[in-house]
Every structure is written in structure tokens, then in C-alpha cells.
Amino acid sequence: MGSNTDQDGAHDVSDAYINASTYKRTAADEVTDINQFKENLAKAAFEDWPNEAGFDGLTEHRGPIKLRVKGSIPAWAAGSLYRTGPGACSVEDTKVGTFQISHWFDGLAHTHRFDILAEDNGSSANSGEVRVVYSSRRQSDSFVQKIKDTGCMPAKSFAQRSDPCIGMFGKFMAMYQRRGQVYTNIGVTVNANMKPFQDIAGPSQGGSHGHRAGASSLFIGSDLSLFAQVDVQSMEVTAYVPQSKLHPELTGPSASAHGMQDPETGDYFNFNLEMGSSCTYRVFQVSAATGDATILARILSRPAYIHSFFLSKNYVILCVPVSHYQWNGVKVIWEGSLLGGIAPFDKSEKCHWFIVDRRHGKGVVAQFTSPAAFFFHSTNAFEDDETGDVICELIQYSSTSIMRGFYYDVLLQRDNKAKEFWCDSPTSDLVGEVVRYRFRATDFHSSSHSEHSKLPSPAVVLKAAAAHIGDLPTINPTFACRKHRYTFGLAGRGLSTLFDGIIKVDCETRDVLIWSAPRGHTPSEAIFVPRPSEENGKPAEEDGGVLLSVVLDGVNKTSYLLCLDAKTMTELGRAECDFAVAFTLHGQHVKNGGESGL
């Protein structure tokens, strides 16, 4: 699929919305593209972009099912692509009839695996064609059974609207719920080959079967301080592993869904949030070599919903955005959901940043504040070799409003809810920007003990326009913790209630390459698979690789695994399903040698 440009190189935006194409935009086009985004929302263009098949009527396929491959998927991309996220959004035959789940993030956990198979594992430069097989497994059977028995959500949720069967007494009792109850609807992130967790939970039962899988262990995570261990082949849950098994202090209920691993040592990093009369973030590290967990810092700060954080060569960077929980977190229990417990967004508040030393046991070495904002996803963090400054990149929103855009009523335009949300809300609150902050090393030790009102602010060194980026960012994983130039993500241009393209942002020039999906073709998070080094040992270029995305064809109610050339953002090939695959949140590609791309 080639570029769609006129003779002067200027892109006719409207043409790109008809069929799949790849086109380039520059910083000079930002205002035009933002206006086009607003126009698409104003005319409710999303009503002509069907995506219902990615949310409802979904089927489990334990497989393996051989898929039709069209075009070419490079053999060096051989391995297993795991995807996880919400599947079904309703439960039939409950005590009260059909139970409808309100919010996408509370959908029933469903994990998928696409095995890309090459006879020689893609080790030869002359590798031939590949085969692709698919299978999937639901992980929330016990959770579903409780819904059937009660007609209610059986545990605290992300954003489920209050169940009518839970009255004041039910909320009161929930505040005194017994400890030890396990939440069994976990499906946000995929974490392969996490040796410290594997040593605690025991090895996965499936193991590796020939070329079928590269993972030695597989854990599914969420915003809870709990992992579900699943078999690498069947994807059946085999154990639940709480953070408290790593260290006795990690007893709080919340964590980052996106734990980080050191790209060199494999050490695992995350935080644990304890709420109540005293709210403490415990930033910790787990050694891949020994399995020992170390508390790097104990931070007293306002509790907040934090989906991800940052890791650089020498630091863990925690940003507490303006997504604060009310009543020191007790409001979450009272309302029964994380979203229900978040305070209304206050633009007068500040984001609070903590720079934590991870090499020498110095704890918090610096604190900064930045203007009120919210984010789901960090992209990368790295350090300036000359100055020692830390640079953090994220997809930033100007409020928390976007979280309400993922209610099923909005996603599926039920009762005109999509129009109400997207057309009646300030556009600036609903779209993200790629932002880079620079934290000056000269402010580190002096700012770690400053009063909150006197804390320094980071410098903004990059902002890419909202209409050029959606969310779910990724980079070449070999550039984790070091300076990268290219950020990839999903585009949201107002054509769908979810996403409508895949983008590549050049963080030096702010130029953007966009794979513009055909009408009704909604992509999922794109996973970068690096091209192997050349035979002479020269490493591949940063954008040398492919992007893998599971795309829903909402018109025909089928899905396909799309393979894009990361350099040109043009299609190389695809593997087609005869059925729809659920929209998933996150995934990981694991090569047959055990290497992975996050």
C-alpha cells in the first residue's frame, strides 16, 4: 500500500479516509489536522465506522487454527505474539437475566496467541515463507460464575456503574471485606519470562514445544498488585501471585500495570500503593539473578491512579498525576470502583515527580512538579550522557476525562452516548500529546528536600500535536532506557470511537507517518519486532523492524494480524481470521530464543 500524496507532496486528508494508505504529515500540518479532527467529531464520522464485533459476540478458540497469510511476514519475526484484554462485555443467564458490564476496562479477561512459525526460526537471511496459527483462552470463568450466581459484579471494578442490588449496606460491608479474596478477572498486560515470579509461583505447565512458543513463563497483570500466571501454551490460569510474595511490605492493593524490566539484567521494577490513614508508595526492585526484592524508596504522597511509570539507566521515576483518589483511597471502596473514587480533575493541582536512585540505595534524590495532567502510558526514559539530566516521554492528557470515553455506551454509540461524549466535551481534554520532560541533574539533591511549593519544574523539550497521536505508544525495545528517535502508536482522528490508524512520530522533526486504516478497520496496539543485526554485526537501524497489530474489519466482522514495515509504515503482509478477535489492551512478542518486545 503506497503513499497517497499529490504531486507537491501535500496530502489530501479526505482521500486517506477512503482506503488504507500511508501518508506523511509535518509539524506545519498540525493546525490543519486538529481542525480536521474536530470536523470529524462534529459530523459524528464514527457512526460510519463499525466496531461492535470487537466487543460483543466473541468466541474462545483454543485452537490452534491455521490462518491465511497474504503478502509476506518476515521469517525473522518468528515467535509468539501474546495479546490480552477485555473480551465479552455481558454475561447471560444470571440471577437477574443478562448482566451488562459498563466499562471496557472491566470486560472479561481474554488472552490470545498468534504463533508465527518459520522452519528455521528465521535464523537464515534466506528464510522462506512463514505460517501463522491462532488460539485464545478466557481467564475469568470463576468471575463469570459469581456474576451468574448473584447478578452483580463480585468485586471492586475499574469503572462499573453501581449495581442496583448493592445498596448502602452492601457498600458498608465491602469496606470490611475479608482479606485474601482473589480477584480473578485480570487481563491488562502481558509479562513473559519474568524469572523472579516464576521461581515463586513455579514453572508454567506448558513449556516450549518445538517452534510453537518462546516464553518460559507468562504472567498477566493489571492495576492490582497481583499477577495471574498462565500456561504458555493453553493460556489457562495456573496460579495467582501477589506482590506480597516478593516482599512482606508489599501489601497494598494497587500497582502499575506496566512493571518495567532492566533491558540488561532483567531485574523487575514496580511500585506498591498502600492506602488508608497513611498512603505510601513503595518503589521496589526484584533481582533476576537471586529473586530478592529490595525496597528502593518509601514515598508519602497523595494516592492516585497510576497506570505506568519510568525507568532509566540509574533511576526509577514515579509521576503522581492529578488523578487523585478521594478520602485517601477509601472512596474507591465506598463507590466500588477506581474511577468512582477519583476526585474531579482540578487544574490548579500539580503533578508530583519523584526521582528514585536504583543503583546506590540513596532513595528519592529529587522531586519536581509540573502542571496538572493525566497519563496512562509512559513511552521511555533515558539520561543525557553529558549533563546527567533525565528525559521522560509519555502520552499526556490535559484532564482525566478520557477515562470516561471507554464506557461501552460510548464505544458502541448506545443511546447517542458517543455524540454526547465526543461532540460535547472540550476537544483538548480528550486527546493525548507526545510530551518529553527534561529533569535537570543540577536540581536533584537540592530539590529532594525542598518544600512542595518551591520544587523545580522540568523543561518541556517536545510536544507533538494531539491529532498526530492517539495512545498505546511503543518503541523499538532495544532502545529501552536509552535515547530513541521514533515513537509508534495508534492514531485517533475522530473517525472511530476507538482508533483509526497506526502512526510513527519522528521525535526530532515532529514529522509523522500514518498508516490510515480502511473504513471500519480498527487496529490494536502495535508491537515492534526488531530486525536482527546484519551479518557483519552492524546493528539494525532504530526503525528497522516490523509492527504487528491485530486489526478488526468491523464491516465483515473478521480480524487479521497486520505486519507493517516500521521504516515506511506500509503493509508487508497479514494473517487473516474468519472471525472477530476481541479488542485487546496490551501484548508482547516473544521470539523463539526467548527475546521479547514490549
Side-chain angles (χ1 to χ4, degrees):
M1 298 181 183
S3 175
N4 187 13
T5 59
D6 62 24
Q7 293 180 348
D8 295 326
H11 173 69
D12 182 346
V13 176
S14 60
D15 287 349
Y17 298 153
I18 300 174
N19 298 298
S21 62
T22 299
Y23 64 90
K24 181 179 179 180
R25 303 298 276 166
T26 70
D29 299 314
E30 290 178 357
V31 173
T32 299
D33 290 347
I34 290 173
N35 289 335
Q36 180 69 57
F37 173 80
K38 292 178 180 179
E39 182 181 328
N40 291 335
L41 291 181
K43 65 184 181 183
F46 47 76
E47 291 189 321
D48 195 35
W49 192 285
N51 55 25
E52 291 82 0
F55 297 105
D56 207 358
L58 299 163
T59 304
E60 182 183 66
H61 297 276
R62 298 194 178 181
I65 297 172
K66 185 177 180 180
L67 306 183
R68 294 184 303 275
V69 177
K70 293 184 178 180
S72 175
I73 298 174
W76 49 258
S80 297
L81 175 67
Y82 291 95
R83 301 286 309 164
T84 196
C89 60
S90 63
V91 179
E92 305 289 341
D93 303 321
T94 77
K95 183 179 179 180
V96 294
T98 299
F99 179 84
Q100 297 290 346
I101 297 172
S102 301
H103 197 278
W104 185 33
F105 295 175
D106 290 317
L108 302 174
H110 197 155
T111 299
H112 313 259
R113 190 182 71 245
F114 292 83
D115 288 323
I116 302 173
L117 308 174
E119 293 304 319
D120 58 359
N121 292 324
S123 58
S124 169
N126 297 316
S127 297
E129 296 182 357
V130 302
R131 294 178 294 117
V132 180
V133 297
Y134 167 83
S135 56
S136 72
R137 184 76 176 242
R138 293 170 177 158
Q139 281 93 21
S140 54
D141 289 348
S142 61
F143 192 83
V144 169
Q145 189 58 52
K146 289 178 181 178
I147 292 177
K148 287 187 175 184
D149 293 341
T150 65
C152 299
M153 186 72 81
K156 291 183 289 294
S157 65
F158 182 88
Q160 181 73 17
R161 295 192 176 101
S162 297
D163 294 328
C165 55
I166 300 179
M168 192 68 71
F169 181 73
K171 290 182 178 181
F172 179 80
M173 291 305 295
M175 295 177 71
Y176 295 92
Q177 211 171 19
R178 289 184 303 171
R179 289 179 177 265
Q181 293 183 339
V182 177
Y183 183 80
T184 58
N185 187 33
I186 297 175
V188 178
T189 57
V190 176
N191 305 268
N193 302 331
M194 296 217 309
K195 188 176 183 299
F197 285 77
Q198 181 178 321
D199 291 343
I200 292 172
S204 294
Q205 299 301 309
S208 180
H209 297 274
H211 302 325
R212 287 287 310 284
S216 60
S217 64
L218 197 68
F219 293 84
I220 306 301
S222 70
D223 294 308
L224 300 175
S225 57
L226 179 72
F227 282 94
Q229 183 185 28
V230 301
D231 184 280
V232 297
Q233 286 295 323
S234 69
M235 293 172 285
E236 179 182 8
V237 175
T238 59
Y240 290 96
V241 184
Q243 287 182 351
S244 58
K245 282 195 174 184
L246 300 171
H247 193 287
E249 285 190 48
L250 306 178
T251 57
S254 297
S256 169
H258 294 272
M260 306 285 282
Q261 286 188 273
D262 185 296
E264 296 180 357
T265 66
D267 288 359
Y268 177 82
F269 297 82
N270 207 328
F271 67 82
N272 178 275
L273 173 58
E274 181 178 0
M275 295 180 278
S277 57
S278 176
C279 298
T280 304
Y281 295 88
R282 293 181 175 88
V283 179
F284 66 91
Q285 173 180 358
V286 185
S287 168
T290 66
D292 294 334
T294 303
I295 306 295
L296 300 176
R298 296 170 180 85
I299 299 170
L300 297 177
S301 187
R302 294 181 65 178
Y305 172 67
I306 305 175
H307 189 63
S308 62
F309 60 102
F310 305 84
L311 185 72
S312 70
K313 183 178 180 179
N314 293 296
Y315 304 100
V316 179
I317 304 99
L318 177 68
C319 174
V320 180
V322 182
S323 51
H324 303 129
Y325 293 128
Q326 298 183 79
W327 310 347
N328 275 7
V330 175
K331 186 73 178 291
V332 173
I333 302 174
W334 185 255
E335 293 292 336
S337 74
L338 296 181
L339 188 54
I342 294 176
F345 190 79
D346 186 347
K347 292 185 181 294
S348 69
E349 296 277 1
K350 297 282 188 181
C351 296
H352 199 160
W353 298 76
F354 299 89
I355 314 293
V356 178
D357 171 62
R358 71 176 181 97
R359 298 290 185 183
H360 310 292
K362 296 180 180 179
V364 176
V365 297
Q367 297 181 50
F368 294 79
T369 61
S370 60
F374 169 71
F375 73 105
F376 284 117
H377 298 114
S378 61
T379 298
N380 193 24
F382 54 91
E383 297 165 30
D384 188 311
D385 293 335
E386 295 183 2
T387 65
D389 295 353
V390 175
I391 295 90
C392 294
E393 184 182 290
L394 71 163
I395 307 298
Q396 180 174 286
Y397 295 85
S398 61
S399 81
T400 53
S401 298
I402 187 61
M403 286 194 276
R404 291 174 171 78
F406 298 114
Y407 276 110
Y408 284 115
D409 286 351
V410 175
L411 293 170
L412 299 176
Q413 174 59 340
R414 294 171 178 162
D415 300 322
N416 225 31
K417 294 299 183 182
K419 282 186 177 180
E420 291 178 13
F421 179 79
W422 287 104
C423 301
D424 297 341
S425 303
T427 302
S428 59
D429 285 349
L430 303 179
V431 290
E433 296 177 297
V434 180
V435 180
R436 279 188 183 180
Y437 288 108
R438 177 181 287 269
F439 299 86
R440 293 173 292 270
T442 53
D443 290 328
F444 275 22
H445 296 286
S446 61
S447 70
S448 61
H449 303 291
S450 300
E451 295 180 11
H452 189 282
S453 60
K454 298 179 180 179
L455 290 174
S457 296
V460 177
V461 293
L462 170 72
K463 268 194 177 184
H468 282 175
I469 184 73
D471 209 315
L472 299 174
T474 191
I475 63 170
N476 181 332
T478 64
F479 281 75
C481 297
R482 62 194 186 102
K483 185 177 181 179
H484 70 281
R485 176 172 179 173
Y486 301 108
T487 296
F488 303 87
L490 298 187
R493 297 166 294 159
L495 299 173
S496 169
T497 56
L498 205 52
F499 300 107
D500 50 49
I502 303 175
I503 64 169
K504 173 185 180 181
V505 180
D506 185 328
C507 295
E508 292 184 3
T509 66
R510 286 165 53 198
D511 288 348
V512 178
L513 274 178
I514 303 177
W515 177 80
S516 179
R519 183 182 67 85
H521 288 227
T522 307
S524 67
E525 174 194 49
I527 302 296
F528 192 104
V529 181
R531 185 182 184 91
S533 299
E534 298 176 5
E535 291 183 2
N536 59 9
K538 181 181 178 181
E541 295 178 280
E542 182 183 340
D543 56 355
V546 296
L547 295 168
L548 300 177
S549 175
V550 183
V551 180
L552 174 78
D553 176 352
V555 177
N556 294 305
K557 300 183 179 180
T558 59
S559 295
Y560 55 94
L561 177 65
L562 174 70
C563 180
L564 293 180
D565 183 327
K567 182 177 289 292
T568 64
M569 295 300 287
T570 55
E571 180 175 344
L572 296 176
R574 63 176 66 184
E576 297 180 331
C577 306
D578 291 328
F579 46 84
V581 175
F583 286 128
T584 48
L585 294 170
H586 296 292
Q588 185 171 351
H589 177 271
V590 184
K591 291 187 176 181
N592 290 328
E595 299 176 0
S596 62
L598 299 178

